[in-house]
Amino acid sequence: SGEQRTQWVRVMERYRPDGLPVRSVELEQARYKAQFEDQLRERPAPDVMFWFGGERLREAVRQGLLAPLDALAERDGWSRRFTRAALDAVRVDGSLYALPLSTYAWGLYYRRSLWRRLQLQPPATWDQWLQQNDALRAARVAPLTVGAEDSWTLGAWFDYLNLRLHGKDFHQGLLAGRHSWQDRRIRAVLEHWQELWLRGDFQSGCERLGWRQVLPYVSRGASGMVLMGGFVALQFPAGVRADLGFVPFPRLRPRAPLVENAPLDVLVQPSHARHPRAAQAFLRHMAQPSVQAALNHGMGLLTPQHGLDPGDDPLQRDAAALLSQASASMQYFDRDSATAFSGPALSLLRDFVRAPEQPVEGVQAQLEALRQRLRRA
């Protein structure tokens, strides 16, 4: 967003290295992601690039496109400073290949004033959620919305339903291609999701809107909740932002460990960087707690280092508390699975929510056919 770009530009303006001047290029995210691998293959490549932890990082490492940062990490004590989850997300075959920069929690955002007016409490269980949705519909408020035209938004819904029902090990194995999508457990996930659509709990027409397009419905109280990551807060007007509440995705099984989506944004050094020494100096600067804290406070995100105050913003504090209490975390559907799988799979999930009355077995068969096709490739 514009505000996030402004924060990044401020960081660049404050960096005053000895020697080479710094030039920063900011692109819209979809365009940047489409060009990322091609830029890594350039000779010379850019010196430092923004990217994501998890499988997205591992794909670039396996192709030899990123430089390991172990020497820098050891010299600056990353093992003491950064959280275990952050370092695990940038470690490949025992080496560190990225500087953890920002993280954020996913959860349900809603307007607290609407909940007060309707005398509601945010749901903690599936049954409470269905009861709350009944109350919202009775008040002529669409309980839920999702900008499904941007199919990546659906990844959070599948992640959380599967994590809450079946836990991290199964979910991680599924996204890694080790389990069949025709497993009975996936049927349970899709049937829970289908129930919400068939009850009319999702805003009518949201399956054909983008993620930014549905936010005004939450702002105006026409939709009750949206499942999004912490970056979404800056998309709301300041007055609405002050009224936003944030709660975790409800439990679907009593006492099941709570695993949260907490994607990690990182900085990497391409293998063919033109100025590797300057790149290392910049990464050292960006690893400083004060630099990361200033950047992340301004962007509504969290710093993945031990002992740093999340700031005064209530949404950031609630997100930090959620992650501190979680038993484990995942990156995200399209960051935990192969690129060749995640894009087509999310498109199939979009087709599902556009026609939720269809038998879930058909969707399962299509997802499994995709998995098998990629295994043979």
Side-chain angles (χ1 to χ4, degrees):
S1 71
E3 179 60 26
Q4 289 168 324
R5 181 184 183 277
T6 297
Q7 296 297 330
W8 183 254
V9 170
R10 286 176 182 168
V11 169
M12 295 299 99
E13 291 173 345
R14 292 169 184 157
Y15 182 56
R16 294 287 182 266
D18 295 330
L20 293 172
V22 175
R23 183 170 69 96
S24 174
V25 178
E26 299 85 31
L27 299 175
E28 189 276 328
Q29 184 170 200
R31 181 182 170 196
Y32 182 86
K33 289 193 289 189
Q35 297 178 1
F36 177 73
E37 189 171 311
D38 288 339
Q39 291 195 61
L40 285 181
R41 295 184 183 280
E42 291 178 1
R43 291 176 179 257
D47 293 313
V48 175
M49 296 186 70
F50 174 90
W51 200 230
F52 312 116
E55 180 61 23
R56 284 288 178 272
L57 183 73
R58 290 189 287 271
E59 287 180 346
V61 171
R62 285 194 290 265
Q63 297 176 73
L65 299 176
L66 300 180
L69 302 178
D70 297 301
L72 180 64
E74 184 175 354
R75 181 174 59 183
D76 289 357
W78 288 12
S79 62
R80 299 188 307 274
R81 292 165 52 186
F82 289 96
T83 66
R84 178 179 176 179
L87 293 179
D88 286 347
V90 300
R91 184 180 287 110
V92 184
D93 295 332
S95 290
L96 300 175
Y97 282 90
L99 168 68
L101 183 67
S102 306
T103 190
Y104 51 94
W106 277 72
L108 292 161
Y109 287 83
Y110 66 101
R111 292 208 63 168
R112 288 177 289 146
S113 57
L114 175 63
W115 258 242
R116 285 195 301 269
R117 178 166 63 83
L118 298 179
Q119 298 182 328
L120 298 175
Q121 292 293 326
T125 68
W126 180 255
D127 288 342
Q128 289 176 6
W129 203 1
L130 297 184
Q131 293 168 11
Q132 173 201 266
N133 292 349
D134 290 340
L136 286 165
R137 285 202 316 278
R140 298 189 177 181
V141 176
L144 301 165
T145 191
V146 58
E149 179 62 26
D150 297 312
S151 59
W152 61 265
T153 61
L154 301 175
W157 279 94
F158 184 88
D159 282 347
Y160 271 114
L161 288 167
N162 197 27
L163 287 167
R164 293 293 191 259
L165 285 171
H166 306 122
K168 179 177 180 177
D169 288 346
F170 175 71
H171 186 62
Q172 199 167 40
L174 179 74
L175 295 184
R178 296 193 295 270
H179 300 305
S180 170
W181 284 80
Q182 291 181 299
D183 189 293
R184 58 179 175 76
R185 288 170 286 189
I186 303 306
R187 177 173 180 172
V189 169
L190 296 177
E191 286 178 341
H192 273 76
W193 203 3
Q194 184 182 53
E195 181 179 0
L196 294 175
W197 284 96
L198 295 183
R199 282 167 46 92
D201 287 346
F202 280 94
Q203 173 194 336
S204 177
C206 68
E207 68 277 7
R208 299 191 180 276
L209 297 177
W211 72 274
R212 287 186 175 92
Q213 291 176 297
V214 302
L215 301 183
Y217 293 91
V218 178
S219 292
R220 296 195 297 265
S223 291
M225 297 182 121
V226 62
L227 177 62
M228 287 297 289
F231 57 85
V232 77
L234 291 180
Q235 299 293 322
F236 288 95
V240 173
R241 199 182 313 156
D243 188 43
L244 287 179
F246 170 86
V247 292
F249 198 94
R251 290 181 184 269
L252 303 187
R253 288 192 298 123
R255 296 181 297 280
L258 291 182
V259 181
E260 305 298 339
N261 264 344
L264 182 73
D265 295 338
V266 304
L267 295 177
V268 297
Q269 180 184 325
S271 296
H272 304 295
R274 182 190 295 268
H275 308 106
R277 288 189 178 181
Q280 293 269 307
F282 178 72
L283 290 172
R284 291 195 75 186
H285 171 76
M286 292 303 300
Q288 295 180 56
S290 59
V291 174
Q292 291 200 354
L295 176 67
N296 290 319
H297 287 173
M299 294 200 300
L301 306 179
L302 302 172
T303 300
Q305 297 195 32
H306 294 295
L308 293 187
D309 192 316
D312 297 328
D313 184 276
L315 295 175
Q316 288 173 277
R317 299 189 77 86
D318 288 347
L322 173 63
L323 295 185
S324 70
Q325 296 162 11
S327 65
S329 64
M330 297 286 294
Q331 288 296 302
Y332 194 77
F333 188 103
D334 64 353
R335 300 191 188 190
D336 285 315
S337 56
T339 305
F341 176 83
S342 64
L346 289 170
S347 293
L348 289 172
L349 293 179
R350 181 174 57 194
D351 293 342
F352 171 63
V353 303
R354 284 179 172 175
E357 69 284 351
Q358 63 183 291
V360 298
E361 294 86 351
V363 183
Q364 288 182 263
Q366 290 176 295
L367 288 164
E368 178 59 15
L370 172 62
R371 182 181 81 101
Q372 293 293 346
R373 186 163 64 248
L374 294 176
R375 290 184 71 184
R376 294 191 296 267

